[in-house]
């Protein structure tokens, strides 16, 4: 399944698999486009190249809504932030095409109603996450293209 870009693999649990820095980079290059959840907690990778590879993977795979990694990794905050943007609809707010006006109520509703509880248990209502998504939706080319 890995390395096959047309795969329908959506969840991959690889916690506690002793994945090294080199193994992580190989794995991330072969992730299918369909991946939505990737659990890489409690593995051996920790160098700067691995941090950059994790961040690049979550930015590249816009369907990857939940990448679980250890909190002590330097890239943890950035990976979580990028995962939230993916869950909130990054495909829409980075689209170069103008989104039809009739879809905007649904897009904003999705940003507002998305369940963020698995990202930060301290932010129970997910208000900060919703604000991030709405900001990016309104700032992105799919919306701003309508203004020009």
């Amino acid at each position: 399944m890995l390395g096959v870009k047309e795969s329908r693999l959506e969840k991959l649990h690889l916690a506690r698999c002793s994945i090294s820095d080199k193994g992580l980079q190989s794995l991330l290059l072969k992730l299918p486009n369909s991946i939505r959840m990737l659990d890489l907690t409690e593995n051996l990778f920790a160098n700067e190249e691995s941090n950059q590879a994790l961040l690049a993977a979550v930015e590249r795979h816009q369907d990857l809504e939940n990448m679980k990694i250890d909190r002590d990794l330097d890239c943890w905050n950035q990976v979580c932030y990028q995962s939230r943007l993916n869950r909130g609809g990054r495909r829409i707010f980075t689209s170069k095409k103008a989104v039809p006006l009739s879809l905007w109520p649904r897009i904003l509703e999705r940003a507002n109603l998305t369940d963020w509880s698995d990202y930060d248990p301290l932010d129970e209502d997910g208000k900060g996450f919703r604000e991030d998504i709405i900001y990016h939706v309104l700032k992105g080319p799919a919306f701003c293209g309508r203004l020009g």
Side-chain angles (χ1 to χ4, degrees):
M1 286 298 205
L2 290 178
V4 179
K5 294 298 182 184
E6 296 80 30
S7 168
R8 292 305 315 151
L9 180 67
E10 292 187 0
K11 294 182 180 181
L12 188 56
H13 297 272
L14 295 173
R16 297 176 298 282
C17 288
S18 301
I19 299 173
S20 66
D21 291 298
K22 187 175 180 179
L24 174 71
Q25 293 181 25
S26 295
L27 168 73
L28 294 177
L29 289 174
K30 297 187 184 297
L31 282 179
N33 292 331
S34 60
I35 196 78
R36 297 178 72 82
M37 196 286 296
L38 179 61
D39 184 353
L40 295 169
T41 54
E42 300 181 44
N43 278 291
L44 304 175
F45 55 84
N47 71 21
E48 183 58 32
E49 290 81 17
S50 292
N51 285 323
Q52 293 302 318
L54 287 164
L55 188 55
V58 77
E59 290 172 346
R60 183 175 57 252
H61 294 279
Q62 294 183 354
D63 286 332
L64 183 51
E65 298 177 352
N66 193 354
M67 180 186 281
K68 296 180 180 182
I69 59 174
D70 296 327
R71 281 183 175 253
D72 60 346
L73 290 173
D74 292 340
C75 64
W76 185 82
N77 281 328
Q78 291 175 305
V79 166
C80 287
Y81 182 74
Q82 296 299 326
S83 294
R84 289 193 311 261
L85 293 180
N86 287 350
R87 180 179 268 184
R90 181 195 306 260
R91 290 174 305 281
I92 292 292
F93 60 78
T94 59
S95 173
K96 301 292 186 219
K97 298 177 183 175
V99 175
L101 290 175
S102 60
L103 287 181
W104 282 104
R106 287 190 181 266
I107 292 167
L108 295 173
E109 178 185 39
R110 178 181 180 205
N112 190 43
L113 296 179
T114 299
D115 177 17
W116 303 103
S117 60
D118 58 334
Y119 283 93
D120 188 352
L122 300 178
D123 185 4
E124 293 175 6
D125 67 355
K127 184 178 178 192
F129 302 148
R130 289 183 187 103
E131 291 168 354
D132 281 344
I133 298 305
I134 291 170
Y135 169 79
H136 283 283
V137 166
L138 297 176
K139 179 183 154 206
F143 182 77
C144 290
R146 292 204 157 279
L147 301 177

